[in-house]
Amino acid sequence: MNEYELKPLPYSADALEPYIDAQTMTIHHDKHHKAYLDKLLTGLEKHPDLKKKHPEELVKDLNSVPEDIRTVVRNHGGGFINHNFFWTVMAPKAGGEPSGKVGDAIASAFGSFDKFKEELTSAGLNRFGSGWAWLVINKGKLEVYSTANQDSPLIEGKIPLLALDVWEHSYYLKHQSNRAAYIQDWWNVVNWKQVEDNLKKSE
Ligand code: MN3
């Protein structure tokens, strides 16, 4: 299948209401996400062979990408794959506290779910400007951290389990400048089943 296509959202645009509004979801996916892909494709026109690789592979190994499009791959390739991932870790009728494997892994890495929630929330709040907060696996251990712009954890060899987009375009229409209120709402749509799948896949 073509990995350089914009896939539809895995649920309807209004599925995450009342936490994330339909208009935000539509613009975020149809305009912002699409623009990352379009700009990535424009960059790759100069190096069509690179399209034989999965976009994640390009981002993972930026040094092997020709210098004239390295920044394009980092920013727009990153934006493209980060959003592919982001849609999957949200779902309607989700949120709450994870049980099972993920619940155990979080409790053992952070002490408790509440401590983890605090850490990820603060990573999102303290990211100055645009970026992401992540739960990743780094050298076999669960870790919370944040990246600037559209930098993917894959650049540093970290495996993403959960992503929180804190670019203003993900909340401004509903929450205006209140990033904290957006993050609080976002916890209600975290798709723990997908996070668990991501954890299992990483093993
Ligand atoms: Mn975004």
Side-chain angles (χ1 to χ4, degrees):
M1 91 175 253
N2 183 2
E3 296 296 344
Y4 291 83
E5 265 174 13
L6 187 69
K7 295 181 193 73
L9 285 170
Y11 32 71
S12 63
D14 64 359
L16 306 182
E17 296 263 13
Y19 306 110
I20 302 182
D21 58 295
Q23 193 188 12
T24 295
M25 289 301 289
T26 301
I27 295 173
H28 200 169
H29 176 272
D30 299 2
K31 305 288 182 196
H32 293 283
H33 193 183
K34 183 175 184 297
Y36 293 119
L37 173 61
D38 289 347
K39 287 176 183 159
L40 173 65
L41 288 172
T42 304
L44 289 174
E45 278 170 8
K46 287 174 254 170
H47 302 278
D49 270 9
L50 289 180
K51 280 178 69 185
K52 289 179 192 150
K53 288 194 180 175
H54 194 289
E56 286 180 9
E57 296 301 318
L58 297 182
V59 172
K60 210 182 272 184
D61 191 11
L62 284 175
N63 288 333
S64 74
V65 171
E67 214 179 333
D68 63 330
I69 59 156
R70 200 172 291 157
T71 302
V72 168
V73 170
R74 179 175 188 156
N75 292 338
H76 299 290
F80 178 55
I81 65 169
N82 287 343
H83 287 87
N84 284 342
F85 182 82
F86 183 52
W87 312 131
T88 68
V89 293
M90 299 188 290
K93 300 190 184 75
E97 203 171 315
S99 55
K101 209 177 167 64
V102 172
D104 292 347
I106 284 176
S108 112
F110 302 95
S112 67
F113 178 71
D114 286 343
K115 286 277 276 294
F116 158 72
K117 198 171 165 182
E118 239 176 78
E119 256 195 60
L120 190 74
T121 298
S122 114
L125 280 176
N126 294 327
R127 166 49 55 194
F128 180 74
S130 296
W132 295 75
W134 304 89
L135 173 65
V136 296
I137 298 185
N138 181 24
K139 301 186 177 82
K141 284 190 173 164
L142 265 71
E143 178 184 294
V144 161
Y145 88 129
S146 80
T147 59
N149 305 314
Q150 290 297 350
D151 280 0
S152 158
L154 297 175
I155 295 174
E156 298 177 275
K158 300 178 182 184
I159 303 166
L161 300 181
L162 176 62
L164 166 60
D165 188 346
V166 294
W167 281 61
E168 280 187 345
H169 66 222
S170 26
Y171 59 88
Y172 208 83
L173 294 176
K174 178 177 167 67
H175 300 93
Q176 288 79 49
S177 60
N178 196 345
R179 189 187 285 186
Y182 156 68
I183 296 176
Q184 206 180 328
D185 271 347
W186 174 82
W187 283 107
N188 293 292
V189 299
V190 174
N191 182 359
W192 290 112
K193 203 193 152 303
Q194 183 61 48
V195 177
E196 174 141 325
D197 288 350
N198 296 340
L199 179 62
K200 286 177 179 161
K201 251 189 294 166
S202 76
E203 290 169 344

